[in-house]
């Protein structure tokens, strides 16, 4: 079991503001919140689990009297502790307490320019944060800012960026507001899918300017060209964007409940409570967070199930899928790539005849645009195209996308009418192998070899590779040697590699 890297800990549900987009609907402290003794013991457990850093939030964490004791215990245990605050109470005394406790990062929630921010949070709160930022700038401490983007502040992000730079902010996290908690009551504030690219544009442009680092929230993405470049600028690469909830991160609620993410607040996501089981026991329990630890592409719905990036991102942020789609397996409609493909599908649906769709599908396939090719071919099939060549190409494209169940179905439709088709038998065999049904797949690959002539050697190659992947080296070499009897120059490089072990 991998150790968790970080967590978010809501140390209280008490808050001195009543924000219109609060996902936790915080108000007054709840009677079942952890005591100081319990919280400090949890700090020790967090350290013992080997975590690197943790963010304290709420509610408003500074309304809890022992917030700095919690930070001090964490830091003394070698865990970096960040503080996420609305800034209302941040003055010299609070800042001194945070510094003395050893706080790592102080992050302020700012949700627009003054009028918008105060409308969302509380009149006067914007100026209080500005004063706090000035205080930290005087102390040469670089704070961070978190902005929850919604309809009310989207158009203000560029101007807000300039203010943050002027105030000496070192990092700016941009995240999308979900229709949960108070924001579910203000549903008209929530961004539409087409607006996600506008947020990515702001983040990308800001990073190009190199005056303020942008940290895109895990919910912001995915896989548009600018999003990929944004990730490259941040860390030199484009890591998989699968949700880390319960796999590398987790959430701690006010009462000690452990959830994969503090945004997943439903009781069904709670893996345990630290009053009943240790944090390590909860984390290392193989049944904990099984919904995400066992997430697979084929479990996803809609376009996410067939997306070319599905194996990498697994639909992205689980809470985005849950709050917008009603399930952690739902299609992520607020994904940039998802929206672009839906626009492409909408355009394809306006193509009048099936032949036109087939021409477009073949052109996309020739260019390696597998996703668009699949959309065009699927639309043609939906309208009644049933020629063998259509299913052959659709099966190939689906396989390239990693949609092995769709590839299997396409090849089976060919075999239904032409059982002796070597290409379809090979395609079915490979698809079965990729779906974990290796012995069935091998049988079809062997059949494809029997049906194939010297001008179609792919089944030999594919069967040899499958054998090697299953550590059946002798059988792999035998298949290659069999192929070389048919075509002496067959797979020379592959043969040498197999012989070398």
């Amino acid at each position: 079991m991998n150790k968790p890297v970080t967590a978010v800990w809501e140390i209280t549900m008490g808050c001195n503001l009543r924000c219109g987009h609060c996902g936790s609907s915080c108000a007054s402290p709840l009677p079942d919140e952890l005591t100081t003794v319990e919280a400090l013991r949890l700090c020790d457990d967090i350290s013992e689990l080997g975590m690197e850093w943790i963010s304290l939030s709420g509610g408003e964490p500074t309304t809890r009297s022992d917030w700095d004791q919690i930070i001090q215990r964490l830091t003394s245990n070698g865990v970096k502790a960040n503080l996420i605050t609305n800034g209302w109470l941040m003055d010299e005394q609070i800042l001194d307490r945070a510094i003395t406790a050893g706080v790592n990062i102080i992050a302020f929630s700012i949700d627009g320019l003054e009028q918008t921010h105060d409308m969302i949070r509380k009149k006067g709160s914007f100026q209080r944060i500005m004063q706090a930022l000035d205080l930290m700038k005087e102390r040469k401490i670089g704070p961070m800012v978190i902005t929850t983007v919604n309809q009310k502040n989207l158009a203000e992000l560029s101007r807000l960026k300039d203010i943050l730079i002027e105030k000496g902010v070192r990092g700016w996290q941009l995240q999308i507001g979900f229709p949960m908690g108070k924001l579910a009551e203000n549903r008209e504030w929530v961004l539409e899918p087409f607006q996600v690219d506008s947020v990515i544009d702001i983040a990308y442009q800001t990073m190009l300017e190199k005056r303020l680092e942008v940290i895109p929230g895990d919910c912001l993405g995915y896989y548009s060209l600018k999003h990929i470049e944004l990730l490259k600028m941040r860390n030199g690469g484009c890591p998989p964007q699968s949700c880390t909830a319960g796999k590398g991160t987790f959430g701690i609620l006010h009462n000690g409940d452990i959830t994969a993410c503090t945004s997943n607040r439903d009781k069904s996501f709670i893996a345990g409570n630290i009053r009943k089981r240790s944090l390590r026991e909860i984390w290392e329990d193989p049944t904990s967070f099984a919904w995400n630890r066992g997430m697979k592409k084929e479990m996803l719905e809609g376009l996410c199930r067939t997306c070319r990036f599905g194996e990498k991102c697994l639909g992205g942020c689980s809470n985005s899928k849950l709050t917008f789609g009603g399930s952690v397996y739902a299609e992520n409609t607020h994904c940039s790539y998802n929206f672009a493909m839906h626009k492409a599908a909408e355009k394809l649906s306006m193509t009048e005849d099936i032949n036109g769709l087939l021409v477009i599908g073949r052109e996309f396939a020739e260019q390696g645009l597998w996703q668009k090719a699949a959309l065009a071919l699927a639309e043609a099939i939906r309208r009644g195209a049933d020629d063998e060549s259509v299913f052959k190409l659709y099966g190939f494209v689906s396989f390239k996308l990693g949609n092995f169940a769709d590839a299997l179905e396409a090849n089976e439709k060919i075999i239904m009418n032409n059982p002796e088709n070597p290409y379809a038998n090979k395609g079915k065999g490979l698809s079965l192998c990729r779906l974990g049904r290796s012995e069935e797949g091998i049988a079809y690959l062997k059949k494809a070899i029997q049906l194939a002539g010297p001008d179609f050697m792919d089944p030999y190659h594919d069967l040899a590779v499958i054998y090697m992947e299953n550590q059946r080296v002798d059988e792999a070499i035998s298949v290659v040697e069999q192929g070389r009897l048919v075509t002496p120059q067959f797979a020379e490089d592959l043969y040498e590699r197999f012989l070398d072990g």
Side-chain angles (χ1 to χ4, degrees):
M1 178 65 63
N2 294 332
K3 70 176 184 179
V5 176
T6 185
V8 175
W9 181 0
E10 294 185 350
I11 63 174
T12 181
M13 287 289 281
C15 191
N16 45 12
L17 304 184
R18 299 293 182 268
C19 303
H21 64 351
C22 179
S24 306
S25 298
C26 294
S28 300
L30 297 180
D32 61 345
E33 294 184 357
L34 297 180
T35 65
T36 299
V37 171
E38 289 174 322
L40 296 181
R41 186 184 305 123
L42 179 55
C43 291
D44 296 338
D45 291 344
I46 288 169
S47 173
E48 194 270 335
L49 201 53
M51 295 176 60
E52 297 178 14
W53 54 280
I54 190 167
S55 296
L56 305 185
S57 69
E60 169 51 40
T62 61
T63 63
R64 179 169 168 142
S65 61
D66 59 359
W67 63 270
D68 53 336
Q69 293 182 57
I70 295 172
I71 290 177
Q72 188 169 33
R73 179 63 71 90
L74 288 165
T75 55
S76 66
N77 285 339
V79 181
K80 295 178 181 178
N82 302 328
L83 181 68
I84 302 174
T85 175
N86 61 34
W88 186 266
L89 298 176
M90 185 60 67
D91 56 14
E92 288 199 45
Q93 182 185 20
I94 294 291
L95 181 57
D96 286 340
R97 286 174 64 184
I99 293 171
T100 300
V103 70
N104 180 48
I105 293 172
I106 298 176
F108 295 92
S109 298
I110 304 181
D111 294 310
L113 301 179
E114 183 170 4
Q115 183 177 353
T116 300
H117 176 91
D118 285 0
M119 181 275 296
I120 292 173
R121 291 182 172 270
K122 185 176 181 178
K123 186 173 178 58
S125 62
F126 185 86
Q127 284 303 322
R128 289 211 181 199
I129 293 179
M130 293 300 107
Q131 293 166 12
L133 293 178
D134 288 339
L135 177 61
M136 294 185 71
K137 189 175 182 180
E138 290 174 10
R139 302 276 194 96
K140 294 183 171 29
I141 301 171
M144 292 186 63
V145 164
I146 300 172
T147 299
T148 300
V149 185
N150 55 57
Q151 298 284 3
K152 298 294 183 180
N153 60 27
L154 177 60
E156 300 178 354
L157 295 181
S158 291
R159 285 176 289 167
L160 177 59
K161 173 197 68 178
D162 293 336
I163 293 173
L164 301 185
I165 292 171
E166 179 189 346
K167 294 293 183 180
V169 172
R170 66 172 180 170
W172 187 22
Q173 179 169 312
L174 292 171
Q175 59 191 33
I176 296 172
F178 296 131
M180 58 181 288
K182 297 297 291 184
L183 196 52
E185 301 173 18
N186 296 306
R187 188 64 174 77
E188 70 278 7
W189 294 9
V190 178
L191 294 183
E192 296 295 332
F194 75 90
Q195 294 173 304
V196 171
D197 278 335
S198 297
V199 185
I200 294 174
D201 286 347
I202 290 290
Y204 175 74
Q205 185 59 42
T206 302
M207 286 292 282
L208 282 181
E209 295 170 0
K210 297 182 179 180
R211 295 187 296 162
L212 175 63
E213 182 180 6
V214 176
I215 302 94
D218 293 339
C219 56
L220 182 62
Y222 308 96
Y223 290 104
S224 67
L225 291 177
K226 286 185 178 179
H227 180 248
I228 292 172
E229 289 302 313
L230 177 61
L231 294 178
K232 286 181 179 178
M233 284 188 280
R234 266 194 51 74
N235 54 23
C238 183
Q241 288 294 302
S242 63
C243 178
T244 61
K247 295 189 284 189
T249 64
F250 63 91
I252 307 171
L253 302 187
H254 65 281
N255 62 349
D257 279 342
I258 304 299
T259 182
C261 172
T262 53
S263 294
N264 300 141
R265 309 189 68 81
D266 188 88
K267 288 295 182 183
S268 62
F269 292 104
I270 304 300
N273 186 285
I274 58 100
R275 286 170 170 153
K276 298 178 180 179
R277 293 198 294 165
S278 71
L279 181 60
R280 176 176 290 278
E281 184 180 356
I282 294 171
W283 177 260
E284 294 183 350
D285 186 336
T287 65
S288 293
F289 322 119
W291 61 269
N292 201 31
R293 289 177 177 177
M295 183 82 72
K296 295 180 180 178
K297 178 183 176 182
E298 56 265 28
M299 296 177 177
L300 303 175
E301 299 171 3
L303 183 61
C304 289
R305 190 188 69 81
T306 59
C307 178
R308 60 179 293 203
F309 299 114
E311 289 288 350
K312 294 181 179 180
C313 77
L314 295 175
C317 173
S318 61
N319 202 46
S320 181
K321 293 179 286 183
L322 180 64
T323 55
F324 288 113
S327 163
V328 293
Y329 306 105
E331 181 176 4
N332 191 339
T333 57
H334 282 64
C335 162
S336 174
Y337 184 79
N338 180 282
F339 177 74
M341 289 304 102
H342 273 292
K343 291 295 290 183
E346 182 181 332
K347 185 176 181 180
L348 287 168
S349 69
M350 293 186 287
T351 303
E352 293 184 359
D353 64 285
I354 293 176
N355 286 333
L357 285 168
L358 295 177
V359 169
I360 293 171
R362 291 189 184 99
E363 289 177 350
F364 281 145
E366 289 170 0
Q367 298 171 54
L369 301 174
W370 310 120
Q371 196 82 62
K372 289 185 176 181
L375 291 173
L377 295 169
E379 177 65 15
I381 292 170
R382 188 188 68 80
R383 295 191 196 179
D386 59 359
D387 185 80
E388 184 175 293
S389 63
V390 177
F391 289 117
K392 178 180 178 181
L393 182 57
Y394 184 65
F396 174 76
V397 167
S398 296
F399 194 90
K400 294 292 287 186
L401 288 169
N403 300 329
F404 305 122
D406 291 345
L408 175 62
E409 183 179 358
N411 284 293
E412 284 179 334
K413 287 184 177 179
I414 297 173
I415 292 172
M416 190 181 302
N417 294 318
N418 184 5
E420 305 302 302
N421 186 302
Y423 184 91
N425 278 276
K426 184 214 71 156
K428 181 174 181 177
L430 267 184
S431 299
L432 286 167
C433 289
R434 291 293 176 251
L435 289 168
R437 298 159 61 182
S438 294
E439 290 307 316
E440 291 178 73
I442 287 171
Y444 276 96
L445 287 169
K446 287 181 176 179
K447 182 178 179 181
I449 286 175
Q450 294 172 356
L451 296 170
D455 58 341
F456 184 53
M457 299 297 293
D458 288 6
Y460 293 91
H461 177 278
D462 294 340
L463 180 56
V465 170
I466 293 297
Y467 275 142
M468 285 299 292
E469 289 177 351
N470 286 274
Q471 309 301 315
R472 295 161 67 170
V473 179
D474 290 343
E475 290 169 284
I477 293 174
S478 176
V479 170
V480 174
E481 289 175 341
Q482 183 183 348
R484 288 165 68 84
L485 292 175
V486 179
T487 304
Q489 303 304 314
F490 169 69
E492 286 185 346
D493 293 343
L494 190 67
Y495 186 55
E496 293 298 327
R497 192 162 75 246
F498 287 175
L499 288 177
D500 290 341

